[in-house]
Amino acid sequence: MIKSGIDKATSFEKRFEKVNTVIFESSEVASKAVAAEIAALIRKKQEANEMCVLGLATGSSPKRLYAELVRLHKEEDLSFKNVITFNLDEYYPMEPDAIQSYVRFMKKLLFDQIDIDPENCHIPDGTLAKEDIADYCKAFEAKIDALGGIDFQILGIGGNGHIGFNESGSLPNSKTRLVTLDHITRVAASQDFQGLYNTPKTAITIGIKQIMRAKKVVLFAWGEGKSNIINKAVEGPITEQVPASYLQDHPNSVFVVDKGASSLLTRVNSPWVVEKVNWDAQLIKKAVVGLASKLEKPVLMLTEADYIENGMSDLLTEVGDAYDINIRIFNKLQHTITGWPGGKPNADDTNRPERANPPKKRVLIFSPHPDDDIISMGGTFMRLQDQGHEVHVAYQTSGNIAVADDEALRFSNFVVDYNRSFGLDNEKSLEIYKKATKFIQDKKTSEIDIPEVRSIKGMIRRSEAKATSYYVGLTDEQIHFNNLPFYETGTIEKNPWGEEDVKITMDLIDKIKPHQIYAAGDLADPHGTHKVCLDIIFESLKRLKSEPYMDDCWVWLYRGAWQEWDIEDIEMAVPMSPSQVLAKRYGIFKHQSQKDGVVFQGSDSREFWQRAEDRNRETAMKYDELGLAHYAAMEAFVRYKF
Ligand code: F6R
């Protein structure tokens, strides 16, 4: 199913997919394959003494592509002297040197690192007077036309299906123009602008018509967060509501997606309706859970007819009758439920998710930001502590960028008052307070905070994390702040992980020698921090694998604030009573700086405690609907074997 090059999908896949779609193991592999294709095109044009016209996108999707093109330039002599680029879009208004400008983005990630002639780089101008935009857009298109159109167009896709900033409702003949941004687009962008209020309302974008004229179009989509819109654009009808669906009509377009983004395509989600499959245990579970959910029936109520009418008759032929399959899956689901996440002492653990022994385990919970532990596994955290295990929590990053400026001033002012009231030396505190106040008053949108302000913000989150851990019952020796360096850029954009990050993490694991590690396996986190935090843990585990204590170490992945595991993947489901749900809520409330409209809300307007409760309730409801016991809420985990 997963291809190594960007070749054509098979005819089976085509039954459901209306545009050529290629699934790669990861965005890294995919980006390299596309970069190789672009490099080949540039070289071919060089040999023919021709210019190569590239259409480029910004956003998170093409970042790895640009990194690979830079590598090809530096290590494999790929020259960009014959390349002319046109970027899809730019916010309006926008100064080219602003932190969020696409000019700055492109220079940093690509143009400044290759030998392209700056004159050949075109990005819509965000500084024009409004009345000049229409003429400018005409000239921009004319320039592309004069070069014979775009040879190779790179696209990302918005949550609403936009390409460029052609939002839902854009017509197929739309031209390069000034557009009003969709609310969804602005909410997604608001992360870069410190809130929706500061986010531009308009942008200049190349139109659909010009994109459709490109000789080749490659659209990138990474992560489960994109799976819904990819499903619509690839398998749904062509509609202006999902502008990316226009590409179904393009003669040479490819959707290049990773496993996460492909997860709702029919061939991935229900492969048995696409082709003959090998019914392994996991696929049977997925198919039966999917069937029960679709028909809104408990698993034990599914009939032979239900299987046959839903394209699963060969499962019956190969595996057994419906009655046996139903019982098998029911039991599997049942065995995932446990009120003893650290294992139940002195109990038969044959069918339990965790081992009974040792009865008292050393547990290490990794929390990427200071509140993920309580938000994502607060109920389990409390149970582990209450059931007598030695629970440690490690806050991987400081989380300082998610604190509002006025909070920082409030706390710094508090310190000044505190010192004054108790007659303590106040000189240094006052100096810092004044410096922070002056900086924040003059701060331009999204200017990077000075170190003092960043520290204050970090301290606020640290004190909140401690408050939660004390609330659960931990002592200071059990609370660890890793302050991983990769995070400390002061901007949304983080550095890749480095040796120091791995060393800090390895040292802690080695010190605690845990029987259980909990980590955030939440790859859809829009800021990417969770993914880097997880990669650091995986790398540390790999390096520590030969240590004897690691044989007894089980790793459980929870999901962060953004999404939950699919029911068929859950290996441990920890139920919560109504009062445990409330206790968890109070634990989340300790994170006061993250309440009431946080800086990085994302596209979900619910507060974190609401999201957590809704999600835990939904998981419990799904188990209930499948015919298992009815609990108030459930937290879910998947075991990672290394
Ligand atoms: C950016 C652009 C947009 C993005 C899209 C996806 O130049 O035109 O259409 O490609 O919003 O953004 P990411 O890649 O950040 O998910």
Side-chain angles (χ1 to χ4, degrees), residues 462-641:
R462 202 176 155 110
S463 67
E464 292 169 345
K466 276 195 200 167
T468 298
S469 291
Y470 295 155
Y471 170 74
V472 175
L474 269 53
T475 56
D476 281 330
E477 302 70 53
Q478 293 162 281
I479 309 170
H480 311 268
F481 290 96
N482 288 165
N483 287 322
L484 295 180
F486 87 87
Y487 182 87
E488 297 302 320
T489 57
T491 65
I492 300 267
E493 199 62 47
K494 304 295 181 300
N495 291 326
W497 63 261
E499 278 305 309
E500 186 57 16
D501 300 302
V502 176
K503 187 175 177 312
I504 292 170
T505 308
M506 281 174 69
D507 286 350
L508 186 66
I509 298 175
D510 195 58
K511 188 170 129 202
I512 294 172
K513 304 191 176 23
H515 301 102
Q516 281 195 325
I517 286 179
Y518 288 85
D522 185 358
L523 308 181
D525 156 35
H527 313 151
T529 298
H530 285 206
K531 166 121 177 59
V532 183
C533 284
L534 186 64
D535 287 344
I536 292 168
I537 296 172
F538 285 171
E539 180 64 25
S540 306
L541 293 174
K542 200 169 88 190
R543 296 192 196 177
L544 289 169
K545 199 171 163 33
S546 58
E547 296 295 328
Y549 62 85
M550 288 309 267
D551 292 342
D552 287 332
C553 180
W554 285 21
V555 178
W556 291 101
L557 301 180
Y558 62 87
R559 285 225 147 156
W562 319 95
Q563 66 179 152
E564 189 50 279
W565 296 109
D566 289 332
I567 293 286
E568 66 269 17
D569 293 328
I570 295 173
E571 290 174 90
M572 178 160 76
V574 181
M576 293 155 77
S577 67
S579 61
Q580 285 166 328
V581 172
L582 267 186
K584 171 170 171 172
R585 186 190 300 177
Y586 293 137
I588 299 176
F589 282 175
K590 303 288 175 204
H591 293 272
Q592 289 175 358
S593 71
Q594 301 303 295
K595 273 185 94 301
D596 304 326
V598 300
V599 181
F600 300 112
Q601 187 85 48
S603 52
D604 190 334
S605 61
R606 291 169 303 168
E607 290 200 13
F608 286 122
W609 67 271
Q610 291 169 314
R611 294 186 213 188
E613 281 185 20
D614 288 352
R615 206 181 67 183
N616 296 159
R617 192 176 39 246
E618 275 161 28
T619 308
M621 254 163 52
K622 282 186 191 155
Y623 268 78
D624 178 27
E625 284 159 8
L626 291 169
L628 292 112
H630 186 157
Y631 292 98
M634 273 178 167
E635 289 173 346
F637 303 87
V638 165
R639 193 169 157 207
Y640 171 74
K641 301 203 177 84

Side-chain angles (χ1 to χ4, degrees), residues 250-292:
H250 190 283
N252 193 13
S253 66
V254 193
F255 279 37
V256 170
V257 299
D258 67 356
K259 281 167 124 180
S262 75
S263 57
L264 292 179
L265 292 176
T266 307
R267 69 166 136 149
V268 177
N269 199 27
S270 346
W272 50 90
V273 302
V274 177
E275 58 188 336
K276 191 151 174 44
V277 293
N278 179 16
W279 285 106
D280 62 22
Q282 187 52 25
L283 201 58
I284 298 174
K285 193 173 172 198
K286 182 178 170 78
V288 176
V289 167
L291 182 64

Side-chain angles (χ1 to χ4, degrees), residues 83-316:
V83 173
I84 302 186
T85 65
F86 290 89
N87 263 75
L88 282 166
D89 40 25
E90 175 62 286
Y91 293 111
Y92 179 83
M94 180 56 64
E95 290 299 323
D97 58 352
I99 287 190
Q100 307 88 346
S101 98
Y102 287 166
V103 172
R104 188 164 167 153
F105 176 103
M106 289 308 301
K107 280 187 167 175
K108 181 166 173 226
L109 268 65
L110 188 65
F111 300 152
D112 285 353
Q113 302 199 60
I114 55 178
D115 62 346
I116 194 165
D117 180 349
E119 297 278 299
N120 285 344
C121 303
H122 305 88
I123 300 181
D125 185 349
T127 67
L128 298 166
K130 215 166 198 167
E131 57 276 20
D132 296 336
I133 295 179
D135 283 346
Y136 173 84
C137 289
K138 256 191 214 156
F140 199 84
E141 289 220 352
K143 233 183 232 170
I144 300 176
D145 291 343
L147 290 159
I150 289 166
D151 292 313
F152 200 111
Q153 175 70 54
I154 294 294
L155 297 176
I157 180 169
N160 57 357
H162 75 208
I163 47 179
F165 277 137
N166 295 284
E167 305 283 28
S168 302
S170 298
L171 296 175
N173 61 357
S174 55
K175 296 199 171 137
T176 300
R177 66 206 184 284
L178 181 68
V179 289
T180 301
L181 296 173
D182 223 15
H183 180 69
I184 303 183
T185 303
R186 290 186 65 230
V187 170
S190 65
Q191 297 174 9
D192 298 341
F193 288 90
Q194 296 250 325
L196 199 58
Y197 180 76
N198 304 311
T199 308
K201 293 195 169 73
T202 51
I204 298 175
T205 184
I206 290 187
I208 300 282
K209 195 169 177 192
Q210 189 66 257
I211 294 174
M212 291 298 280
R213 287 191 55 218
K215 296 179 189 109
K216 167 137 198 172
V217 178
V218 170
L219 181 145
F220 286 151
W222 319 132
E224 276 179 38
K226 293 278 168 80
S227 58
N228 208 0
I229 195 65
I230 282 296
N231 185 29
K232 284 191 186 154
V234 172
E235 298 191 1
I238 297 179
T239 159
E240 74 257 22
Q241 289 313 306
V242 181
S245 67
Y246 290 133
L247 295 168
Q248 293 178 12
D249 267 349
H250 190 283
N252 193 13
S253 66
V254 193
F255 279 37
V256 170
V257 299
D258 67 356
K259 281 167 124 180
S262 75
S263 57
L264 292 179
L265 292 176
T266 307
R267 69 166 136 149
V268 177
N269 199 27
S270 346
W272 50 90
V273 302
V274 177
E275 58 188 336
K276 191 151 174 44
V277 293
N278 179 16
W279 285 106
D280 62 22
Q282 187 52 25
L283 201 58
I284 298 174
K285 193 173 172 198
K286 182 178 170 78
V288 176
V289 167
L291 182 64
S293 310
K294 180 174 159 202
L295 302 180
E296 297 180 10
K297 278 185 166 187
V299 171
L300 294 176
M301 296 290 284
L302 293 172
T303 64
E304 306 264 322
D306 292 333
Y307 281 87
I308 294 164
E309 284 162 18
N310 287 280
M312 289 162 65
S313 58
D314 65 327
L315 176 62
L316 301 179

Side-chain angles (χ1 to χ4, degrees), residues 398-499:
S398 70
N400 56 11
I401 58 162
V403 177
D405 291 342
D406 51 358
E407 282 285 288
L409 289 189
R410 186 160 75 91
F411 277 89
S412 152
N413 188 299
F414 174 89
V415 173
V416 170
D417 257 5
Y418 181 98
N419 289 347
R420 192 180 293 134
S421 304
F422 295 112
L424 303 171
D425 180 12
N426 216 3
E427 198 185 328
K428 187 75 190 160
S429 305
L430 246 173
E431 189 191 308
I432 294 172
Y433 174 59
K434 281 187 187 151
K435 190 171 172 192
T437 309
K438 167 111 188 58
F439 169 77
I440 287 172
Q441 273 165 356
D442 300 345
K443 184 171 158 180
K444 291 198 209 99
T445 314
S446 237
E447 190 179 340
I448 294 175
D449 283 338
I450 50 173
E452 289 86 343
V453 171
R454 263 155 55 193
S455 295
I456 298 167
K457 291 182 173 181
M459 279 186 259
I460 293 172
R461 298 216 68 184
R462 202 176 155 110
S463 67
E464 292 169 345
K466 276 195 200 167
T468 298
S469 291
Y470 295 155
Y471 170 74
V472 175
L474 269 53
T475 56
D476 281 330
E477 302 70 53
Q478 293 162 281
I479 309 170
H480 311 268
F481 290 96
N482 288 165
N483 287 322
L484 295 180
F486 87 87
Y487 182 87
E488 297 302 320
T489 57
T491 65
I492 300 267
E493 199 62 47
K494 304 295 181 300
N495 291 326
W497 63 261
E499 278 305 309

